[in-house]
Amino acid sequence: MLFTELNLIQPILRAIEEEGYTTPTPIQQQAIPHVLKGTDVLGCAQTGTGKTAAFSIPILQQLANKEFHGKRKIRSLILTPTRELAIQIGESLAAYGRHLKIKHTVIFGGVNQNPQVNSLQAGVDILVATPGRLLDLMTQGYISLSDLEIFVLDEADRMLDMGFIHDVHKVIRALPEERQNLFFSATMAPEILKLAGTILQDPIRVEVTPVSSTAEIIGQTLYFLDKHNKPNLLFDVLKEQTAQSVLVFTRTKHGADRVAKYLTKNGVKSDAIHGNKSQNHRQRALNNFKDKTIRVLVATDIAARGIDVEEMELVINYELPNIPETYVHRIGRTGRAGNSGNAISFCDFEEKAYLKDIEKLIHQEIEVIDNHPYPMEVFEIIKKERPARPPRNDRNASQKKPKPTVDQKVGAAKKKGKKTWFGKKDRY
Ligand code: AMP
């Protein structure tokens, strides 16, 4: 199917062509005709499937086709959980709407509100917002939603994860009863469906790639190693791989900082983004990453939400996530919109349980690279087996019992039936 078969108006088709797209993605093929008809849509799709265009394009067309008089009023609201996603939706609207006279603006927290208020007061047709700043500006009287025609709730599952459910309900209470609703979520857990039920009326359900199957198009490999060797392996992998844009995930903010600092010190251009960094820093890092000024972006999971960098070739899980779905979200940053991508994971002794959960979720064993300079050593086990140290002042006791040699320790561990190396058979 081609975009030209979707009953889109010429200015939009021209903009799509200028973006270099000819074929709509599955979610676009399914959703666009319904949105154009005015039907409510329940969309099960995650970032990377082309879902932003799936709602942006038909909203632009609907609004462009309806006449309005006087000052512009907010006719469509797109509510999204993060600043990064809000900015990206704004960029999509600007791209697909470049030949239309539709105005939009993007508002989010963490920055001065004045420029946002100024653009709202100049009048907009489409408002893209994160919940906190939206409610704030509504309370201050800068935003009226009484003329709203189309409401989009984007990434509903993350909205819930991030604790925005009450804010979402507050926003919905401020909307006119008569409206079209588009609801998107990567998963359809019971509480998501419950929320959808309170918003949508007779929706059409459209669905693409459930979370566990995305992983299949991405090359995935895994290294078992000890924690202290992770920086060395990361450096080696980056040296070996040709990928120009690499996203590295850590579980913690400090971890992200440490890794970025280590890489920078060793001559790899990198930066970290996480919740403790200012909005300016995050945006700058993201821009540097997009224009390839830096090669590696180290991110925590929340900060990475919605990062949309085309041609991201490699994702490295420096630390495995403790929630298996997060693994799928992480590796979904690569291999987007049909491009191939690779994901490399580092797994230390303590992360084996996480690996087990991940492989269960993706119904797949991740290929292990066991020929590398930092194989997981026995010392993790030996540390556990090591007899308690004699008290410091009991010098005689420590003299009486000589310390076992490394060979003796390995022998002892083997005798007790403990594995000393974790190959494919003993993955966990
Ligand atoms: P999204 O799921 O909205 O985050 O989009 C993922 C990526 O796919 C973005 O970089 C889009 O620019 C790109 N994209 C959207 N629609 C298409 C299309 N029809 N063909 C190719 N790429 C697309």
Side-chain angles (χ1 to χ4, degrees):
M1 181 188 253
L2 300 171
F3 273 111
T4 44
E5 296 167 63
L6 281 173
N7 288 327
L8 296 171
I9 53 177
Q10 272 310 317
I12 291 184
L13 281 176
R14 192 142 54 93
I16 293 173
E17 199 184 318
E18 284 160 6
E19 282 299 294
Y21 305 143
T22 47
T23 316
T25 65
I27 193 75
Q28 292 163 0
Q29 289 184 26
Q30 292 180 57
I32 289 175
H34 294 296
V35 184
L36 286 177
K37 266 193 260 162
T39 313
D40 278 12
V41 171
L42 174 63
C44 187
Q46 61 185 114
T47 316
T49 54
K51 75 170 161 58
T52 314
F55 59 78
S56 299
I57 289 172
I59 288 175
L60 283 164
Q61 174 148 331
Q62 288 228 64
L63 299 187
N65 280 346
K66 280 189 193 158
E67 288 209 2
F68 75 94
H69 302 283
K71 194 183 163 195
R72 287 171 197 274
K73 293 182 174 134
I74 298 170
R75 292 187 285 158
S76 179
L77 168 67
I78 301 168
L79 198 59
T80 192
T82 69
R83 302 177 261 211
E84 285 78 9
L85 279 167
I87 292 169
Q88 277 158 26
I89 295 168
E91 287 169 358
S92 278
L93 291 168
Y96 304 121
R98 67 164 72 98
H99 303 301
L100 300 172
K101 290 195 179 76
I102 298 288
K103 276 182 73 178
H104 74 273
T105 198
V106 181
I107 62 170
F108 46 81
V111 292
N112 187 318
Q113 72 172 42
N114 293 342
Q116 299 178 357
V117 169
N118 290 342
S119 76
L120 283 165
Q121 284 180 332
V124 295
D125 302 286
I126 306 175
L127 175 61
V128 184
T130 55
R133 179 56 58 97
L134 174 66
L135 286 169
D136 199 1
L137 296 187
M138 280 166 67
T139 314
Q140 293 178 53
Y142 291 119
I143 293 174
S144 162
L145 297 173
S146 54
D147 294 282
L148 190 104
E149 293 167 25
I150 311 170
F151 171 59
V152 181
L153 186 63
D154 183 36
E155 309 239 341
D157 51 338
R158 290 180 183 182
M159 219 51 119
L160 259 64
D161 284 351
M162 293 171 81
F164 291 147
I165 183 75
H166 296 298
D167 287 352
V168 171
H169 282 303
K170 264 192 220 163
V171 172
I172 290 164
R173 280 199 292 274
L175 305 179
E177 289 262 310
E178 183 95 2
R179 57 172 202 262
Q180 183 183 6
N181 300 289
L182 314 176
F183 183 106
F184 287 89
S185 178
T187 59
M188 287 292 162
E191 74 266 42
I192 311 277
L193 286 172
K194 196 172 145 206
L195 176 64
T198 65
I199 297 175
L200 300 165
Q201 282 195 349
D202 300 326
I204 288 285
R205 185 167 171 157
V206 296
E207 199 160 345
V208 290
T209 49
V211 84
S212 60
S213 66
T214 326
E216 286 154 22
I217 57 160
I218 295 161
Q220 299 167 72
T221 46
L222 177 81
Y223 291 84
F224 284 115
L225 78 169
D226 291 319
K227 202 186 217 147
H228 67 274
N229 277 325
K230 286 190 175 184
N232 298 329
L233 182 64
L234 179 63
F235 184 76
D236 287 4
V237 166
L238 289 171
K239 212 159 65 179
E240 190 189 293
Q241 295 278 332
T242 53
Q244 280 309 300
S245 299
V246 184
L247 184 57
V248 174
F249 281 98
T250 60
R251 276 196 304 269
T252 65
K253 297 171 195 168
H254 286 307
D257 279 337
R258 258 198 314 271
V259 173
K261 223 164 148 185
Y262 166 83
L263 290 177
T264 308
K265 210 172 113 195
N266 286 284
V268 182
K269 287 189 178 141
S270 54
D271 205 342
I273 57 165
H274 55 66
N276 286 359
K277 299 273 188 195
S278 69
Q279 171 64 9
N280 276 346
H281 180 108
R282 285 160 64 159
Q283 204 51 51
R284 198 171 53 239
L286 216 50
N287 290 344
N288 286 341
F289 190 52
K290 276 187 182 176
D291 67 22
K292 299 196 166 58
T293 313
I294 57 171
R295 182 179 174 215
V296 179
L297 191 64
V298 190
T300 55
D301 291 299
I302 295 217
R305 279 177 182 174
I307 289 180
D308 178 19
V309 175
E310 281 178 48
E311 295 165 46
M312 178 124 58
E313 297 140 285
L314 178 61
V315 165
I316 297 180
N317 292 304
Y318 185 83
E319 288 163 335
L320 285 181
N322 48 354
I323 301 167
E325 283 81 4
T326 303
Y327 174 84
V328 181
H329 284 138
R330 282 182 179 186
I331 70 167
R333 310 290 94 205
T334 182
R336 300 175 70 138
N339 293 325
S340 62
N342 279 308
I344 295 175
S345 299
F346 294 178
C347 178
D348 69 30
F349 186 77
E350 281 158 14
E351 293 171 320
K352 289 184 159 209
Y354 303 155
L355 175 64
K356 196 173 180 177
D357 291 344
I358 290 166
E359 293 191 328
K360 208 165 128 197
L361 176 78
I362 63 174
H363 307 295
Q364 201 178 332
E365 266 197 6
I366 305 172
E367 183 194 343
V368 177
I369 308 279
D370 41 19
N371 181 20
H372 67 91
Y374 315 102
M376 194 181 269
E377 296 285 355
V378 285
F379 93 98
E380 291 283 1
I381 289 208
I382 287 168
K383 223 163 47 182
K384 290 192 173 162
E385 300 285 321
R386 186 179 292 168
R389 279 177 159 236
R392 272 177 170 240
N393 56 4
D394 189 359
R395 293 207 176 138
N396 288 341
S398 65
Q399 275 165 13
K400 264 184 252 160
K401 204 173 177 193
K403 282 184 186 168
T405 64
V406 171
D407 282 349
Q408 283 169 333
K409 287 177 190 173
V410 175
K414 276 189 177 156
K415 237 188 217 164
K416 291 196 173 180
K418 301 282 179 189
K419 306 283 184 217
T420 53
W421 158 246
F422 303 88
K424 275 184 187 155
K425 258 195 252 150
D426 324 293
R427 301 170 76 82
Y428 312 118

